[in-house]
Amino acid sequence: MQDNLNKYLTEIEILHQQQLYRKPITYIPISATKVLKDNEEFLMMASNNYLGLTHHPQVKKAAIKAIEKYGTGSGGSRLISGSHILFAKLEQALAEFKSIEKALVFNTGYMANVGTISALTNNNDYIISDELNHASIIDGCRLSKAKTLIYRHKNMTDLENILKNLPYSHTKLIVTDSVFSMDGDIAPLDEIVYLAHKYNALTMVDDAHATGVLGKGHGSVEHFHLQGKIDIQLGTLSKALASEGGFVAGKKILIEYLINKARSYIFSTALTPADIASSLEALSLIANDNSLVDKLYDNISYVQDLFQQNNIDINLTTPIVPIIVHSNEKALQIAQKLYEKHIILSAIRPPTVPQNQSRLRLAISASHTQEDLHFVITELIKLL
């Protein structure tokens, strides 16, 4: 048995040598932006909790109420044990929020991507994917039997060159993140939709980092005024919506098909009542109160001003701020020095980003104070 495990030990040693070894660090969250470790308080700058709703009193109250009324677990998959009444409410709310016919909730955004892409395409089809798409999209393409073609990041000339050489009548699925998780830039969805219409292709957009952020919180379709023109909208409940889960939204026939064909939906135990209820409450808060998103963008503008005051030219359009330092070692060193200042800021290394593109990824929240942000940017600039 030990001989069979030696190869894994070798791989771990290589990861250490390449400064790519990872391990989770345990923290105790005490607010949307603060955590405790060893009884010391740290400022969290690595979370995707963009609107700070994880600790919103109404969201917490909704989760507690659901547990008291419905219990802690679901007990099985939705097709075997039945679908909880809260799922119907959440899926209807998501469809209305995304201005589309119907929505389907998955257990995670990863499972939504993997299940949807692998279910919708077969060996006669083509998937055309941005080179910087999230790993869940990449894995969905790998599980699919379709031929996957990669276009250069946000390069519409490259995308069109691929599309015009594919059979017009075959199913073609263009899939992209709307906000790219490690760079914070936005896909040119309006141009993608134009090319999709021109070359008879379906469009799928992953709004994981756009829901609650772009388009007054409604996402990239609202941001680009493309209602009714994107075939498949995917999102997550675990970032700005501060809960757990993912979803797909589209035409009614698409959702019916996925219920019957998406393996990550069919064979997974359903989310808990607390997950669903907290998502519903967070969604309601965003839909009915623009102040959360407005505060987020006030903080984004404030951070951009701080950088520019220090002669660092940066143009921020989302809460994700990539500080590219190239080497794995340097990214780890800066992250460690910030940690010593009680700032948690992630060192992002391959395979999450390409080789020689290691970076620090700063994530802004509506719950950060200007004092928090000033302290972080000041300390970061010193190290850069």
Side-chain angles (χ1 to χ4, degrees):
M1 179 65 176
Q2 185 59 42
D3 288 343
N4 292 331
L5 296 177
N6 282 339
K7 69 173 184 178
Y8 304 120
L9 179 60
T10 301
E11 288 293 327
I12 289 173
E13 289 172 350
I14 290 170
L15 290 174
H16 277 291
Q17 293 166 9
Q18 295 177 342
Q19 306 277 352
L20 294 175
Y21 181 76
R22 293 165 170 80
K23 65 177 181 180
I25 300 173
T26 301
Y27 302 113
I28 301 172
I30 56 174
S31 74
T33 59
K34 301 290 176 62
V35 299
L36 285 180
K37 180 172 170 55
D38 300 328
N39 293 318
E40 295 185 34
E41 188 175 291
F42 288 76
L43 178 59
M44 175 59 72
M45 298 301 303
S47 171
N48 297 321
N49 184 18
Y50 297 126
L51 299 179
L53 292 177
T54 54
H55 287 71
H56 193 287
Q58 289 176 233
V59 177
K60 293 195 293 183
K61 184 178 179 180
I64 293 167
K65 185 178 178 181
I67 290 173
E68 290 174 340
K69 186 173 183 179
Y70 301 116
T72 59
S74 62
S77 70
R78 292 171 68 182
L79 296 179
I80 297 294
S81 301
S83 186
H84 200 287
I85 188 172
L86 290 177
F87 273 119
K89 293 180 179 180
L90 177 57
E91 287 168 346
Q92 179 62 34
L94 285 166
E96 292 175 0
F97 189 72
K98 290 292 186 177
S99 301
I100 207 160
E101 285 184 10
K102 203 166 177 64
L104 182 67
V105 170
F106 286 72
N107 282 20
T108 66
Y110 184 99
M111 293 172 75
N113 263 327
V114 168
T116 300
I117 295 170
S118 60
L120 291 180
T121 53
N122 60 40
N123 56 4
N124 294 315
D125 303 331
Y126 298 89
I127 301 170
I128 309 95
S129 176
D130 189 290
E131 67 177 337
L132 294 188
N133 276 341
H134 188 262
S136 57
I137 294 175
I138 295 169
D139 289 351
C141 294
R142 288 171 175 169
L143 282 173
S144 168
K145 295 181 175 66
K147 183 175 182 181
T148 300
L149 304 165
I150 309 299
Y151 64 93
R152 293 192 298 276
H153 181 50
K154 294 170 50 176
N155 188 316
M156 295 300 97
T157 300
D158 197 30
L159 175 58
E160 181 164 22
N161 285 337
I162 292 171
L163 287 168
K164 68 184 181 185
N165 287 305
L166 298 179
Y168 187 83
S169 60
H170 283 226
T171 297
K172 297 176 288 294
L173 176 65
I174 304 171
V175 58
T176 184
D177 283 319
S178 53
V179 174
F180 291 88
S181 61
M182 292 300 121
D183 290 274
D185 54 339
I186 301 172
L189 285 189
D190 50 349
E191 297 176 59
I192 290 172
V193 166
Y194 169 78
L195 291 176
H197 180 75
K198 182 177 180 180
Y199 293 102
N200 191 35
L202 295 169
T203 49
M204 175 175 167
V205 59
D206 183 349
D207 251 2
H209 295 270
T211 300
V213 175
L214 295 184
K216 297 181 180 179
H218 291 262
S220 60
V221 172
E222 175 82 16
H223 177 78
F224 283 98
H225 307 292
L226 292 172
Q227 291 87 341
K229 296 181 180 180
I230 297 287
D231 298 296
I232 306 153
Q233 296 182 53
L234 188 138
T236 178
L237 308 174
S238 60
K239 294 180 173 62
L241 291 177
S243 182
E244 184 65 32
F247 65 89
V248 177
K251 295 284 189 183
K252 181 181 178 182
I253 186 64
L254 171 80
I255 301 305
E256 289 181 1
Y257 181 84
L258 291 175
I259 288 171
N260 287 276
K261 292 290 187 177
R263 293 172 65 84
S264 60
Y265 169 84
I266 296 168
F267 297 107
S268 292
T269 296
L271 292 171
T272 71
D275 290 324
I276 312 166
S278 55
S279 298
L280 258 171
E281 186 61 33
L283 194 66
S284 175
L285 287 169
I286 298 169
N288 295 303
D289 184 2
N290 288 334
S291 67
L292 289 165
V293 179
D294 290 343
K295 178 62 166 60
L296 174 63
Y297 274 90
D298 286 345
N299 281 350
I300 293 169
S301 296
Y302 182 71
V303 168
Q304 178 169 289
D305 289 344
L306 289 174
F307 276 115
Q308 291 179 346
Q309 288 166 18
N310 287 275
N311 300 315
I312 297 175
D313 188 20
I314 190 168
N315 181 29
L316 299 180
T317 55
T318 68
I320 299 166
V321 185
I323 312 294
I324 298 174
V325 296
H326 302 291
S327 83
N328 302 336
E329 184 178 8
K330 186 173 183 181
L332 288 168
Q333 287 175 347
I334 295 175
Q336 177 58 35
K337 288 177 180 178
L338 289 170
Y339 184 82
E340 291 166 5
K341 296 286 186 178
H342 287 209
I343 299 167
I344 299 170
L345 204 159
S346 299
I348 308 296
R349 295 154 289 155
T352 308
V353 293
Q355 292 291 336
N356 300 315
Q357 289 293 304
S358 291
R359 65 196 63 188
L360 300 156
R361 179 188 183 273
L362 186 152
I364 302 167
S365 170
S367 290
H368 284 126
T369 66
Q370 288 195 353
E371 290 78 11
D372 290 336
L373 297 170
H374 187 275
F375 171 61
V376 170
I377 301 307
T378 299
E379 294 300 325
L380 179 59
I381 288 171
K382 286 178 187 177
L383 294 170
L384 293 174

Coordinates of all heavy atoms in Angstrom, one line a residue, residues 117 126-135 137-142 146-163 166 173-176 180:
I117 N -23.3 22.1 -18.9 CA -22.5 22.0 -20.1 C -22.5 20.5 -20.6 O -22.7 20.3 -21.8 CB -21.1 22.5 -19.9 CG1 -21.2 24.0 -19.6 CG2 -20.2 22.3 -21.1 CD1 -19.8 24.6 -19.1
Y126 N -20.3 21.6 -30.7 CA -19.1 22.3 -30.5 C -19.3 23.3 -29.3 O -20.4 23.9 -29.2 CB -18.8 23.1 -31.7 CG -18.5 22.3 -33.0 CD1 -19.5 22.0 -33.8 CD2 -17.2 21.9 -33.2 CE1 -19.2 21.2 -35.0 CE2 -16.9 21.1 -34.4 CZ -17.9 20.8 -35.2 OH -17.6 20.0 -36.3
I127 N -18.3 23.4 -28.5 CA -18.3 24.4 -27.4 C -17.2 25.3 -27.7 O -16.0 24.9 -28.0 CB -18.1 23.7 -26.0 CG1 -19.2 22.7 -25.7 CG2 -18.0 24.8 -24.9 CD1 -18.9 21.9 -24.5
I128 N -17.4 26.6 -27.6 CA -16.4 27.6 -27.9 C -16.3 28.4 -26.6 O -17.2 29.1 -26.1 CB -16.8 28.5 -29.0 CG1 -17.2 27.7 -30.3 CG2 -15.6 29.5 -29.4 CD1 -18.6 27.5 -30.5
S129 N -15.1 28.3 -26.0 CA -14.9 28.8 -24.6 C -13.8 29.8 -24.5 O -12.7 29.6 -25.1 CB -14.6 27.6 -23.7 OG -14.4 27.9 -22.4
D130 N -14.0 30.8 -23.7 CA -12.9 31.8 -23.4 C -11.7 31.1 -22.7 O -12.0 30.3 -21.8 CB -13.4 33.0 -22.6 CG -12.4 34.1 -22.4 OD1 -11.4 33.9 -21.7 OD2 -12.7 35.2 -23.0
E131 N -10.5 31.5 -23.0 CA -9.3 30.8 -22.5 C -9.2 31.0 -21.0 O -8.5 30.2 -20.3 CB -8.1 31.2 -23.2 CG -7.7 32.6 -23.0 CD -6.3 33.0 -23.6 OE1 -5.5 32.1 -23.9 OE2 -6.1 34.2 -23.9
L132 N -9.8 32.0 -20.4 CA -9.7 32.3 -19.0 C -11.0 31.9 -18.2 O -11.1 32.4 -17.0 CB -9.3 33.8 -18.7 CG -7.9 34.2 -19.2 CD1 -7.6 35.6 -18.8 CD2 -6.8 33.2 -18.8
N133 N -11.8 31.1 -18.8 CA -13.0 30.7 -18.1 C -12.7 29.9 -16.8 O -11.6 29.3 -16.7 CB -13.9 29.9 -19.0 CG -14.8 30.7 -19.9 OD1 -15.1 31.9 -19.6 ND2 -15.3 30.1 -20.9
H134 N -13.6 29.9 -15.9 CA -13.4 29.3 -14.6 C -13.3 27.8 -14.7 O -13.7 27.2 -15.7 CB -14.6 29.6 -13.7 CG -14.5 29.1 -12.3 ND1 -15.0 27.9 -11.8 CD2 -13.9 29.7 -11.2 CE1 -14.7 27.7 -10.6 NE2 -14.0 28.8 -10.2
A135 N -12.6 27.1 -13.8 CA -12.3 25.7 -13.8 C -13.6 24.9 -13.9 O -13.6 23.8 -14.6 CB -11.6 25.3 -12.5
I137 N -16.3 25.6 -15.7 CA -16.6 25.6 -17.1 C -15.7 24.7 -17.8 O -16.1 23.8 -18.7 CB -16.5 27.0 -17.7 CG1 -17.6 27.9 -17.1 CG2 -16.7 27.0 -19.2 CD1 -17.5 29.4 -17.5
I138 N -14.4 24.7 -17.5 CA -13.4 23.9 -18.2 C -13.8 22.4 -17.9 O -13.8 21.6 -18.8 CB -12.0 24.2 -17.7 CG1 -11.6 25.6 -18.1 CG2 -11.0 23.1 -18.2 CD1 -10.3 26.1 -17.5
D139 N -14.1 22.1 -16.7 CA -14.4 20.7 -16.3 C -15.7 20.2 -17.0 O -15.9 19.1 -17.4 CB -14.5 20.5 -14.8 CG -13.1 20.6 -14.2 OD1 -12.1 20.6 -14.9 OD2 -13.0 20.7 -12.9
G140 N -16.7 21.1 -17.1 CA -17.9 20.8 -17.8 C -17.6 20.5 -19.3 O -18.2 19.6 -19.8
C141 N -16.7 21.3 -19.9 CA -16.4 21.0 -21.3 C -15.7 19.6 -21.4 O -15.9 18.9 -22.4 CB -15.4 22.1 -21.8 SG -16.2 23.7 -22.0
R142 N -14.8 19.3 -20.4 CA -14.1 18.0 -20.5 C -15.1 16.8 -20.3 O -14.9 15.8 -20.9 CB -13.1 18.0 -19.4 CG -11.9 18.9 -19.6 CD -11.0 19.0 -18.4 NE -9.8 19.7 -18.7 CZ -8.9 20.2 -17.8 NH1 -9.1 19.9 -16.5 NH2 -7.8 20.9 -18.1
A146 N -18.7 16.9 -26.5 CA -18.5 17.9 -27.6 C -17.1 18.2 -27.9 O -16.2 18.1 -27.0 CB -19.3 19.1 -27.3
K147 N -16.8 18.7 -29.1 CA -15.4 19.3 -29.3 C -15.3 20.7 -28.8 O -16.1 21.5 -29.1 CB -15.2 19.3 -30.8 CG -13.8 19.7 -31.2 CD -13.5 19.6 -32.7 CE -12.0 20.0 -33.0 NZ -11.7 19.9 -34.4
T148 N -14.3 20.9 -27.9 CA -14.2 22.2 -27.3 C -13.1 23.0 -28.0 O -12.0 22.5 -28.2 CB -13.8 22.1 -25.8 OG1 -14.9 21.3 -25.1 CG2 -13.6 23.4 -25.2
L149 N -13.4 24.2 -28.4 CA -12.5 25.1 -29.1 C -12.3 26.4 -28.2 O -13.3 26.9 -27.7 CB -13.0 25.5 -30.4 CG -13.3 24.3 -31.4 CD1 -14.2 24.8 -32.5 CD2 -12.1 23.7 -31.9
I150 N -11.1 26.8 -28.0 CA -10.7 27.9 -27.1 C -10.4 29.1 -27.9 O -9.6 29.1 -28.8 CB -9.5 27.5 -26.2 CG1 -9.8 26.1 -25.5 CG2 -9.3 28.6 -25.2 CD1 -11.0 26.1 -24.6
Y151 N -11.1 30.2 -27.5 CA -10.7 31.5 -28.2 C -9.9 32.4 -27.2 O -10.1 32.3 -26.0 CB -11.9 32.3 -28.7 CG -12.9 32.7 -27.7 CD1 -12.9 34.0 -27.2 CD2 -14.0 31.9 -27.4 CE1 -13.8 34.5 -26.3 CE2 -15.0 32.3 -26.5 CZ -14.9 33.6 -25.9 OH -15.9 34.1 -25.1
R152 N -9.0 33.2 -27.7 CA -8.2 34.1 -26.9 C -9.1 35.0 -26.0 O -10.1 35.4 -26.5 CB -7.2 34.9 -27.7 CG -6.1 34.0 -28.4 CD -5.0 34.8 -28.9 NE -5.4 35.7 -30.0 CZ -5.5 35.3 -31.3 NH1 -5.3 34.1 -31.6 NH2 -5.9 36.2 -32.2
H153 N -8.6 35.3 -24.9 CA -9.4 36.0 -23.9 C -10.0 37.3 -24.4 O -9.3 38.2 -24.9 CB -8.5 36.4 -22.7 CG -9.2 37.1 -21.6 ND1 -10.4 36.6 -21.0 CD2 -8.9 38.2 -20.9 CE1 -10.8 37.4 -20.1 NE2 -9.9 38.4 -20.0
K154 N -11.4 37.3 -24.5 CA -12.2 38.4 -24.9 C -11.8 38.9 -26.3 O -12.2 40.0 -26.7 CB -12.0 39.6 -23.9 CG -12.6 39.3 -22.5 CD -12.2 40.4 -21.5 CE -12.4 41.8 -21.9 NZ -12.1 42.7 -20.8
N155 N -11.2 38.0 -27.1 CA -10.8 38.4 -28.5 C -11.9 38.0 -29.5 O -12.1 36.8 -29.8 CB -9.5 37.7 -28.8 CG -8.9 38.2 -30.1 OD1 -9.6 38.3 -31.1 ND2 -7.6 38.4 -30.1
M156 N -12.7 39.0 -29.9 CA -13.9 38.7 -30.7 C -13.5 38.3 -32.2 O -14.2 37.6 -32.8 CB -14.8 39.9 -30.7 CG -15.4 40.2 -29.4 SD -16.4 38.9 -28.7 CE -15.3 38.0 -27.6
T157 N -12.3 38.8 -32.6 CA -11.8 38.4 -33.9 C -11.5 36.9 -33.9 O -11.9 36.2 -34.8 CB -10.5 39.2 -34.3 OG1 -10.9 40.6 -34.3 CG2 -10.0 38.7 -35.7
D158 N -10.9 36.4 -32.9 CA -10.5 35.0 -32.7 C -11.8 34.2 -32.6 O -11.9 33.1 -33.2 CB -9.6 34.8 -31.5 CG -8.9 33.5 -31.5 OD1 -8.7 32.9 -32.6 OD2 -8.7 32.9 -30.4
L159 N -12.8 34.7 -31.8 CA -14.0 34.0 -31.7 C -14.8 33.8 -33.0 O -15.2 32.8 -33.4 CB -14.9 34.7 -30.7 CG -16.4 34.1 -30.5 CD1 -16.3 32.7 -30.1 CD2 -17.1 35.0 -29.5
E160 N -14.8 34.9 -33.8 CA -15.5 34.9 -35.1 C -14.7 33.9 -36.1 O -15.4 33.2 -36.8 CB -15.6 36.3 -35.7 CG -16.3 36.2 -37.0 CD -16.8 37.6 -37.5 OE1 -16.2 38.6 -37.0 OE2 -17.7 37.6 -38.3
N161 N -13.4 33.9 -36.0 CA -12.7 33.0 -36.9 C -13.0 31.6 -36.6 O -13.0 30.7 -37.5 CB -11.2 33.3 -36.8 CG -10.7 34.6 -37.4 OD1 -11.4 35.1 -38.4 ND2 -9.6 35.1 -37.0
I162 N -13.2 31.3 -35.4 CA -13.6 29.9 -35.0 C -15.0 29.6 -35.5 O -15.3 28.6 -36.1 CB -13.5 29.7 -33.5 CG1 -12.0 29.7 -33.0 CG2 -14.1 28.3 -33.1 CD1 -11.8 29.7 -31.5
L163 N -15.9 30.5 -35.2 CA -17.3 30.3 -35.5 C -17.6 30.1 -37.0 O -18.4 29.2 -37.4 CB -18.2 31.4 -35.0 CG -18.4 31.5 -33.5 CD1 -19.0 32.8 -33.1 CD2 -19.3 30.4 -33.0
L166 N -17.2 26.6 -38.5 CA -17.9 25.5 -38.0 C -19.2 25.3 -38.8 O -19.8 26.3 -39.4 CB -18.3 25.7 -36.5 CG -17.1 25.9 -35.6 CD1 -17.6 26.1 -34.2 CD2 -16.3 24.6 -35.6
L173 N -22.2 26.1 -28.8 CA -22.4 26.8 -27.5 C -21.2 27.6 -27.2 O -20.1 27.2 -27.0 CB -22.6 25.7 -26.4 CG -22.8 26.3 -25.0 CD1 -24.1 27.1 -24.8 CD2 -22.8 25.2 -23.9
I174 N -21.4 29.0 -27.2 CA -20.4 29.9 -26.7 C -20.6 30.1 -25.2 O -21.7 30.5 -24.8 CB -20.5 31.3 -27.4 CG1 -20.5 31.1 -28.9 CG2 -19.4 32.2 -27.0 CD1 -20.8 32.4 -29.7
V175 N -19.5 29.8 -24.5 CA -19.7 29.9 -23.0 C -18.6 30.8 -22.5 O -17.4 30.8 -22.9 CB -19.6 28.5 -22.3 CG1 -18.3 27.8 -22.7 CG2 -19.8 28.7 -20.8
T176 N -18.9 31.7 -21.6 CA -18.0 32.7 -21.0 C -18.4 33.1 -19.6 O -19.6 33.1 -19.2 CB -17.9 34.0 -21.9 OG1 -16.9 34.8 -21.3 CG2 -19.2 34.7 -21.9
F180 N -14.5 37.9 -14.9 CA -13.5 36.9 -14.7 C -12.9 37.0 -13.3 O -12.5 38.0 -12.9 CB -12.5 37.0 -15.8 CG -13.0 36.7 -17.2 CD1 -13.6 37.6 -18.0 CD2 -12.9 35.4 -17.7 CE1 -14.1 37.3 -19.2 CE2 -13.4 35.0 -18.9 CZ -14.1 36.0 -19.7

